[in-house]
Amino acid sequence: MLAISNLVTEFASVKALNGVSFQAKPGLITTVIGANGAGKSTLLRTISGLERASSGSIKWFDQELTHKSVESIVRSGIAQVPEGHAVISQLSVGENIELGGLFRKRIARGDLAIATKEVYELFPILYERRNEAAGSLSGGERQMLAISRALVSRPKLLLLDEPSLGLAPLISAQIISIVNDLCRATGLTVLLVEQNANTALAVADHGILLALGKVVADLPAKEMIADSSLRAAYLGY
Amino acid sequence: MSKRREHKIIGLRSTLLSIALFLFFILLSQQFDPYNQSQLANIATLLIAVLSITLLTGASGQISLGQGAIMAVGGYGSALLVTRLGFSMWISFILAIFISALFGLFLGLAAARLSGPYLAGTTLVMALAIPSIAVRFESFFSGDVGLSVDYGMPPVWLTNLVGEISIEEWSLYVVLPFTAAALFAVLNLSNTRTGRTWRAVRDNEVSAALSGINIQRTKVIVFVCASGLAGLAGALYGFRGLVAPSVYPTDLSLTLLTAAVIGGLRSIGGAIFGTFAIVFLPDLIEKITKNLAIPETIGNYLPALTIGTLLLLTVILNPRGAAGALEHIRHRKKH
Amino acid sequence: MTSFLTAFFSGTAQGAIYALVSLGLVLVWRGAGIVNFAQMGQAMFTTYIASQLIQHSYSYWSAFVIALISGAALGALVDLGLMRPLTSRKNSQLLNSQSMRTTIPVIASLGILGVLKALAGIFWAGEERGFPSPVAPNAIKIGSTNLAITGFDLFVIGVVFLTLVLTTIFFTKTGMGLAMRASALNPEVTRLSGIKVGSVRTLGWAISGTASSLAGLLVTPRTNLSPNTLDLLLIVGFTAAVVGGLTSLAGSVLGGFILGYVISFVNVYSAPENVFIAILIFLLLALFIRPQGILGSKEVRRV
Ligand SMILES: Nc1ncnc2c1ncn2[C@@H]1O[C@H](COP(=O)(O)OP(=O)(O)O)[C@@H](O)[C@H]1O
Ligand SMILES: [Mg+2]
């Protein structure tokens, strides 16, 4: 279980997160939605250790994550797919995937091979293009690659930052549905950040609405879909 | 406060400060023996070059490891004007500013496309290459031998006015007006809108560009101004006796940078402090090594060691230099 | 014809050494965004260590290996002791300024250079001394005709070729090599892959220290050894790196060989005193015509 309480993250003068508290249940998809600048990316980056929290706590089961380094957070099973299809475009597709599992090479070589095979089965197009530069992929393929890079580390918690950003609706639906299947099949815990509330809430179990660094609604996904006044107030549609 | 009044006050302040510097050097020289008087003249000369770095790096963020080479341009320019064309020394000094500023324009056009380490490396290459041009075109620049030039004798009206003065004092009198003028120019530049534009470019090029500043042009202008100053310093430096490649070695460029850094890259007071430090520190160390009977093979390297260590300590402990430290202490006292 | 061959072969041998220096510079630049002006100071220091060992009757090869190891250690030390604390310092007013973030490490590396030179002068008296080579610098003979290449040239070319092959294998075939390339290209994604980017960077400094230390060992049999002898090598290596593209390892090697030929041909067909000017002109031309270098990519140039 991921338990966040009173989390505050500041940049110079802005409090990007201003006392955020919520929980994400294991094996389920929790989605964080909010307008641009609400603090969604900052939330994920603080969980991963890329930003330092000024106060509050982030607990993954009984581990406290604030003050841990990015590497040790990743190594304890928390993988992030950062905003904007973050792959390393000058490396090949295969190298990007290899990178994600590199730290497990010595500790679990056998399983790493299996995990690599699994992501190629999940996204066969990546296997076909494994020797090409990641920069030559289409937007959707890049997002698949970014997710694959995270998956080969065999995470228990997957943090996804706006995977559908800039993708055609059909492709983003396909990617989200693959994530959904994965979660249901393997018991992976997912924290899905989206601006596009409909796509996210359709697959999520639980919804968190973030505005100006604060949680303004914390509801089961079904109820959040139904509440049109919330959407009108915070998302503007 | 109206703009005009603001300018007037700034102008008054920099005039007073420049005069104060002038008087300070004169008074100090009265306490010194001839050797230290000539060291003081060195300080007044090198201060102009260090100010050019304060301008370039402190105010606009560009780094040059080749200010010594630009000094050489000014030095050769003025020496050639005097020895080949028979110009008067004073006019050759003024023209040296323009010659090296023109040189700085060409360099600046290249430099504006560069920043950080690219610029540092390129100017370092220049620092090595320019003195070798003098050797390459020996018939024109007199090669390794160099051109002999000097400050001449003090004019009669001056000796009538203040009595007999030594050659060392005379060199100080020649240099000081230029130092005061350079200080005046730099003070004015950094306090006006131009200075603020430069600092904006230094701190964040993207946001400076967004607020309508022409980055490339600003950088070139700074480079031209700094080169003019360095060239003037080079001309004055050469007229101590000789303009030759050995007078403007690569180490000179690095020493000037050191002075600017240990004093505080962003502070004019720091530049003055740093220049005093690099000129007097080697003398001080020599005295100490003599007293402690440290062998000469070691003693020869102690100034370089001290200056290198000071540079490192400054960067590590207090990148804002002596001026920054002073400000810090003053700040603490207030609280 | 003979002078052409002479220029060609000595250009290849010199170029091989420049390639090492340039490779060392680019490794650190890609990994840490710093041009290490102290690099050849470090090499000078480790070459002195080798020279001392040889004077105390150690074999050439054991001194060779110890010098390379000290080169690695010195490189790592510079990063751990100075550059890493310097660049990771937050809330410093000076370092908040964009241009100063690149300027301060340059100044720091100059400080190291000054200190290393002074220390070498103090420890080893600073007089110029020779440095041995394991191969005699005589021209190779076939029958009674002298070839335009010396045994020492062949030795240098062989050692550098081997080094470049090993480096290529390291970067393209090993996990650590992949981690190094990834950290240089995108530190954030690399950290999010669980890789300790800081340690990878330190390794880059160590490899760079080893490469330049090797360059020092290979160049000093010809130039002799004093605290200042390797300064020129830094300048040439820097130019080579810019010509090849500061962001590209292959480009840096290519740039090294190009500079080797330029300098060697200027030496043979023109005059040695033109070399500096040739370097300056070459550098300025490169910056105007193709500022990202021959193999460098525009997007990644960190300026
Ligand atoms: N590195 C940063 N420096 C300064 N401010 C930042 C930084 N990153 C984010 N912010 C600010 O924090 C707030 C939240 O940003 P972010 O978390 O990216 O929002 P979202 O992902 O929901 O669009 C915004 O006001 C943004 O300007
Ligand atoms: Mg975001």
Side-chain angles (χ1 to χ4, degrees), chain A residues 43-121:
Chain A
L43 173 66
L44 293 198
R45 292 172 62 84
T46 312
I47 297 174
S48 285
L50 288 168
E51 309 291 352
R52 283 269 154 257
S54 9
S55 66
S57 100
I58 303 168
K59 277 200 141 163
W60 173 240
F61 290 94
D62 46 12
Q63 259 187 83
E64 176 61 48
L65 298 186
T66 46
H67 304 301
K68 281 183 118 184
S69 71
V70 180
E71 303 87 48
S72 62
I73 290 171
V74 173
R75 287 172 187 222
S76 66
I78 298 175
Q80 186 185 156
V81 180
E83 198 170 330
H85 326 311
V87 297
I88 302 184
S89 41
Q90 297 92 332
L91 299 182
S92 72
V93 170
E95 284 172 333
N96 269 282
I97 292 178
E98 192 188 341
L99 184 68
L102 212 51
F103 75 90
R104 295 172 71 227
K105 211 167 172 180
R106 233 174 292 154
I107 41 182
R109 186 182 285 267
D111 183 60
L112 184 58
I114 299 171
T116 309
K117 209 169 139 245
E118 280 174 11
V119 297
Y120 279 136
E121 277 164 10

Side-chain angles (χ1 to χ4, degrees), chain B residues 28 116 173 216 242:
Chain B
L28 202 57
Y173 291 148
Q216 308 277 331
L242 182 69

Side-chain angles (χ1 to χ4, degrees), chain B residues 15-335:
Chain B
T15 313
L16 288 178
L17 281 173
S18 308
I19 294 174
L21 179 90
F22 187 92
L23 293 177
F24 172 67
F25 270 74
I26 298 276
L27 286 178
L28 202 57
S29 75
Q30 304 302 315
Q31 321 298 316
F32 281 173
D33 57 14
Y35 171 74
N36 280 329
Q37 282 173 348
S38 71
Q39 288 287 71
L40 208 54
N42 274 345
I43 291 176
T45 307
L46 294 179
L47 177 57
I48 301 174
V50 175
L51 282 175
S52 81
I53 294 179
T54 308
L55 203 65
L56 191 67
T57 313
S60 85
Q62 308 183 78
I63 186 170
S64 163
L65 308 182
Q67 286 312 86
I70 299 173
M71 284 177 69
V73 172
Y76 274 101
S78 58
L80 286 172
L81 286 173
V82 169
T83 55
R84 299 272 148 87
L85 301 176
F87 275 64
S88 99
M89 169 179 88
W90 300 99
I91 291 174
S92 82
F93 288 159
I94 306 286
L95 288 178
I97 301 177
F98 290 101
I99 294 169
S100 45
L102 192 66
F103 180 80
L105 177 66
F106 288 121
L107 200 66
L109 288 175
R113 307 157 56 109
L114 312 172
S115 60
Y118 279 92
L119 185 54
T122 310
T123 47
L124 188 59
V125 175
M126 189 185 75
L128 272 171
I130 286 193
S132 79
I133 289 178
V135 182
R136 173 66 191 78
F137 300 100
E138 196 173 351
S139 55
F140 192 64
F141 293 111
S142 299
D144 281 324
V145 181
L147 304 156
S148 293
V149 277
D150 57 47
Y151 296 124
M153 297 308 267
V156 181
W157 62 264
L158 189 67
T159 41
N160 286 342
L161 198 69
V162 296
E164 276 306 305
I165 52 176
S166 64
I167 294 286
E168 288 81 7
E169 272 177 294
W170 170 233
S171 65
L172 188 62
Y173 291 148
V174 171
V175 173
L176 263 185
F178 290 103
T179 313
L183 182 70
F184 179 78
V186 173
L187 277 171
N188 271 323
L189 272 175
S190 52
N191 282 329
T192 54
R193 220 177 66 119
T194 325
R196 280 195 292 277
T197 310
W198 295 0
R199 284 192 290 274
V201 173
R202 174 193 75 193
D203 289 338
N204 195 328
E205 286 192 10
V206 178
S207 51
L210 285 177
S211 58
I213 296 173
N214 183 337
I215 307 275
Q216 308 277 331
R217 210 181 65 182
T218 308
K219 283 185 164 182
V220 175
I221 293 174
V222 181
F223 223 94
V224 169
C225 294
S227 302
L229 279 179
L232 172 64
L236 295 167
Y237 202 58
F239 274 70
R240 295 176 313 160
L242 182 69
V243 170
S246 61
V247 177
Y248 309 98
T250 318
D251 281 348
L252 177 62
S253 300
L254 301 186
T255 309
L256 295 173
L257 184 68
T258 307
V261 172
I262 61 180
L265 270 173
R266 298 206 176 155
S267 148
I268 288 167
I272 299 174
F273 171 84
T275 316
F276 269 89
I278 52 151
V279 172
F280 277 127
L281 210 56
D283 290 348
L284 187 70
I285 292 169
E286 199 188 317
K287 235 179 231 156
I288 294 173
T289 48
K290 270 209 187 109
N291 284 344
L292 297 179
I294 294 170
E296 203 173 303
T297 45
I298 294 177
N300 282 344
Y301 289 94
L302 283 182
L305 184 65
T306 316
I307 284 177
T309 313
L310 267 178
L311 194 60
L312 273 182
L313 286 179
T314 308
V315 171
I316 296 167
L317 301 176
N318 173 31
R320 294 169 65 204
L326 205 67
E327 201 172 296
H328 191 76
I329 295 168
R330 219 186 292 153
H331 210 73
R332 257 216 223 130
K333 264 191 192 152
K334 264 188 204 157
H335 291 281

Side-chain angles (χ1 to χ4, degrees), chain B residues 57 61 63 65 113-115 117-118 121-122 125 128 132 136 202-203 205 266 305 308 312 315-316 319-320, chain C residues 29 35 82 86 89 93-94 97-100 103-104 108 110 115 118 235 238 246 274 276 287-288 291 301 303:
Chain B
T57 313
I63 186 170
L65 308 182
R113 307 157 56 109
L114 312 172
S115 60
Y118 279 92
T122 310
V125 175
L128 272 171
S132 79
R136 173 66 191 78
R202 174 193 75 193
D203 289 338
E205 286 192 10
R266 298 206 176 155
L305 184 65
L312 273 182
V315 171
I316 296 167
R320 294 169 65 204
Chain C
W29 169 255
V35 170
L82 185 65
L86 208 59
R89 180 159 42 190
Q93 197 201 343
L94 201 63
S97 153
Q98 210 179 44
S99 59
M100 283 299 161
T103 299
I104 294 287
L110 290 170
V115 168
I235 300 296
F238 174 82
L246 259 185
N274 290 346
F276 281 120
L287 287 171
F288 269 107
R301 187 177 150 195
V303 177

Side-chain angles (χ1 to χ4, degrees), chain A residues 28-42:
Chain A
L28 298 182
I29 300 180
T30 304
T31 183
V32 177
I33 54 182
N36 207 354
K40 307 180 297 294
S41 298
T42 308

Side-chain angles (χ1 to χ4, degrees), chain A residues 11-12 14-17 34-43 45 51 83 161-162 193 195 210:
Chain A
F11 297 109
V14 203
K15 275 191 178 166
L17 296 182
N36 207 354
K40 307 180 297 294
S41 298
T42 308
L43 173 66
R45 292 172 62 84
E51 309 291 352
E83 198 170 330
D161 197 345
E162 304 208 31
V193 158
Q195 242 186 94
L210 208 60

